[in-house]
Amino acid sequence: MKKLNGLKKISTAVFISGNGSNLKNLIKNSLKKNSKFEIKLVISNNYKAKGLNYANKYRIKKNIINYKNITFAENKILSLLRKNKITLICLAGFMKILSKKFIKKFNGKILNIHPSLLPKYKGLNTYQRAINNNEKYSGCTVHYVSAKLDSGKIILQKKVKIYKSDTIKSLAKKILNQEHSLYSKAIKKISPSF
Ligand code: GRF
């Protein structure tokens, strides 16, 4: 862990596949004076991911990983993590599932952000399923990644009200907005464990 301005910062890698709005907010929050983490590496399985532009903009190392062979891909990622002394991984819209072997080998902390109030609505299409079931609330969850999809220990959640007038699009937007502050708060919450 690097010491910056007398504060220990958690050396963090963010994994993305798409827009990267969570990455953008993680970077911005990491740059705040009292933040507990610094983003040292961005990993993407998709060279077209829009979020890679934030790595460019903020001059953060980025690596695009060819996922044709998952074992090769994960070994490459593990070596990058070691090289950059990464101790925390934040999955932020990363559309690949990490193998049990990878999770074990990294031997560090891996977090994910999910657009529902887990344990409800694991997996995809969370907004649609919440609306279809007439839920009064949905939200987002930051949790540890375990071998079972979207089932690791929950760190923080934020509730969002669903109105009759909500559509998939409007609900997704409201939830994503909440994700942007929740992720950094969750890192802060677990920071004493580093
Ligand atoms: C978010 O909805 C997050 O909950 C899910 O993937 C999406 C990522 O969005 N895991 P972005 O790429 O950070 O904008």
Side-chain angles (χ1 to χ4, degrees):
M1 221 185 300
K2 195 172 159 191
K3 268 196 160 182
L4 290 176
N5 308 323
L7 274 175
K8 283 183 181 173
K9 302 264 183 186
I10 303 164
S11 185
T12 305
V14 183
F15 289 20
I16 62 166
S17 299
N19 279 334
S21 68
N22 276 292
L23 167 65
K24 177 180 156 197
N25 284 280
L26 282 168
I27 296 172
K28 285 192 165 175
N29 287 325
S30 77
L31 295 173
K32 288 183 184 162
K33 210 171 149 211
N34 291 319
S35 96
K36 305 284 184 200
F37 63 103
E38 59 172 335
I39 313 287
K40 296 217 349 209
L41 184 64
V42 173
I43 296 281
S44 178
N45 63 305
N46 172 15
Y47 73 95
K48 285 186 183 157
K50 211 179 120 200
L52 288 168
N53 293 326
Y54 300 117
N56 297 339
K57 183 170 172 200
Y58 290 92
R59 296 177 187 281
I60 296 168
K61 260 190 231 170
K62 63 171 195 295
N63 273 88
I64 293 117
I65 305 293
N66 182 338
Y67 246 85
K68 258 190 188 154
N69 178 315
I70 182 170
T71 310
F72 284 162
E74 290 192 340
N75 283 339
K76 170 84 186 153
I77 297 174
L78 282 167
S79 99
L80 288 164
L81 297 173
R82 269 193 298 270
K83 216 160 97 190
N84 290 282
K85 299 192 168 62
I86 301 297
T87 54
L88 173 68
I89 294 174
C90 291
L91 305 181
F94 186 60
M95 299 307 283
K96 295 285 176 189
I97 292 175
L98 299 173
S99 71
K100 276 184 197 155
K101 223 172 166 183
F102 179 96
I103 297 171
K104 207 171 153 196
K105 271 197 189 163
F106 175 61
N107 196 23
K109 295 182 170 66
I110 309 178
L111 312 186
N112 182 42
I113 189 151
H114 184 78
S116 78
L117 293 174
L118 289 172
K120 279 193 166 180
Y121 307 114
K122 297 172 183 174
L124 298 174
N125 305 320
T126 57
Y127 319 109
Q128 179 145 32
R129 288 188 284 148
I131 289 173
N132 289 352
N133 282 344
N134 292 316
E135 297 281 3
K136 288 199 168 65
Y137 294 93
S138 188
C140 42
T141 304
V142 178
H143 63 95
Y144 286 108
V145 170
S146 65
K148 220 169 145 206
L149 186 72
D150 298 330
S151 301
K153 191 173 170 232
I154 291 170
I155 301 165
L156 272 185
Q157 294 188 303
K158 180 76 187 179
K159 250 185 178 181
V160 167
K161 179 131 181 63
I162 303 179
Y163 293 97
K164 287 261 172 289
S165 57
D166 267 317
T167 59
I168 295 174
K169 206 173 158 193
S170 69
L171 181 60
K173 195 173 167 198
K174 278 194 288 189
I175 293 178
L176 193 60
N177 254 323
Q178 295 302 328
E179 290 182 23
H180 293 158
S181 51
L182 191 75
Y183 218 156
S184 299
K185 279 187 194 149
I187 299 175
K188 189 170 182 198
K189 187 174 171 193
I190 64 159
S191 62
S193 70
F194 280 83

